[in-house]
Amino acid sequence: MKSEESVWIDVALLRVGHYIELDVGWMAHPFPTGSFKISSQKQIDVIRGLGKPQVRYVPSKSDVLPAVVEQGVTSGALSEAASAELARQEAAAREREQRQLRAAMLAAQERSLVVCERRFAESVRLYRKTLDMVQSNPKEAAAPCMEMVTTYVNDMLDKGEASIRLLSETAGDKSSMHSVNVTIIALLLGKAMGLSRGELMDLGMAAYLHDIGKVKLPDRVRWLEDNFSSAEYRLYQEHVAQGITIGRAMELNPPALLAMLHHHEMVDGSGFPSRLRGDAMGTAGRILALVNRYDNLCNPSRPGAALTPHEALSLIFAQFKSRFDSAALSAFIRMMGVYPPGSVVQLIDDRYGIVVSVNSSRPLKPRVVLHEPGVPKHEALILDLEKAPQLGIRRSLKPGNLPPAALDYLAPRQRIAYFFDQAVEPEKPPAAV
């Protein structure tokens, strides 16, 4: 078939985007010319009203192709060669459309991740700046923190559904990354538990500044270690009281100060500094104590001691359940899923993947990036297991147990960094041409 060759097509198969040639005199139709690309359904209706069962159609000038096979063109409408050519072109158009859709999905995925990582980095930088300012000008240090938390709370409440999102390896020291992680997870959990906007504001400020008192401690005791002496452990515990002193100087709200005071308390009375039990802790303090413990298990001071997110959640549920508020823990498990973001998993079809976000309504069906040897890793698409009912997760495993190729492809994070992600839709790809 030549590039400009036309073929006969039944008028019932016409669609917007077809280039046609009307084989009638110019006075027998209302169009400016007899050859043109169809741009509207109204034009199709006019053509069908001309009384001609078929018109000539030029595939090379058209944006879309007729569904030759599916629609069942009569054998007399097209020659065998023309029918085969049209079917080939339609298959090629579908393939181009799939490539365009994939490209659009990748672009949306990348845009979302870039925004999350930029905002996470901004929050890390603000925390470092806050550490530098709180001792000399605490009131001035509080204002940008409040502005940041306000933005997060407004986004979570006013911009649709938000979910926790795993970030790529993010540069940053343990203290600042921990502060941002705890803030994001605590706010999402607080929202899931129905806290009001004002309560979320106080929770967010408490979460962001819960460890601010460590600025007063010697470096060697800023992070709890199993081999601390009794004296070192008592010194470490002082960061709570130091944080309350700084928080008062920053003029934080009393509920925020109370949550900061309780972030190491446990509902079974095993926490510090006051060994509180149950209802003696406020809701924000219970949330903060749980989230703080989870992130410290995933991101300890010694990376070699880190648990995977799945291991951390399993440990809390299996061994430490009595230490945390049951309502907060139940909501936390629903929100994080059985396989929290950052978990390395193997699917039932033996492929390996890493969980990047979760579906709170389907905790066993998170969104994962899979090891696909035939796809460059920078082009890997996130797979929503909820939309793939034939797939499921067989098990969670440590990154070190991955085959070398999967380990290189998935690149599990040495430190887990979280942010929140609003639902995004890919831009609609242009029509196949």
Side-chain angles (χ1 to χ4, degrees), residues 294 307-314 337-348 351-355 364 366 368 392-402:
Y294 170 80
L307 299 181
T308 68
H310 176 73
E311 288 174 330
L313 193 61
S314 298
V338 176
Y339 304 96
S343 300
V344 176
V345 296
Q346 186 178 28
L347 301 190
I348 58 176
R351 287 184 293 174
Y352 298 98
I354 186 168
V355 177
L364 292 173
V368 300
I393 293 174
R394 173 179 294 165
R395 60 173 178 154
S396 172
L397 63 163
K398 282 187 171 293
N401 293 332
L402 285 170

Side-chain angles (χ1 to χ4, degrees), residues 153 157 187 190-191 193-203:
V153 170
L157 293 180
L187 284 175
K191 178 188 174 185
M193 294 180 66
L195 269 61
S196 68
R197 191 180 298 265
E199 289 170 329
L200 288 173
M201 285 298 306
D202 288 328
L203 173 60

Side-chain angles (χ1 to χ4, degrees), residues 264-281 322-324:
H264 277 294
E265 298 287 0
M266 301 290 163
V267 296
D268 65 353
S270 64
F272 67 85
S274 301
R275 302 184 70 85
L276 298 179
R277 286 182 174 272
D279 293 340
M281 296 174 63
S322 63
R323 300 183 185 181
F324 300 103

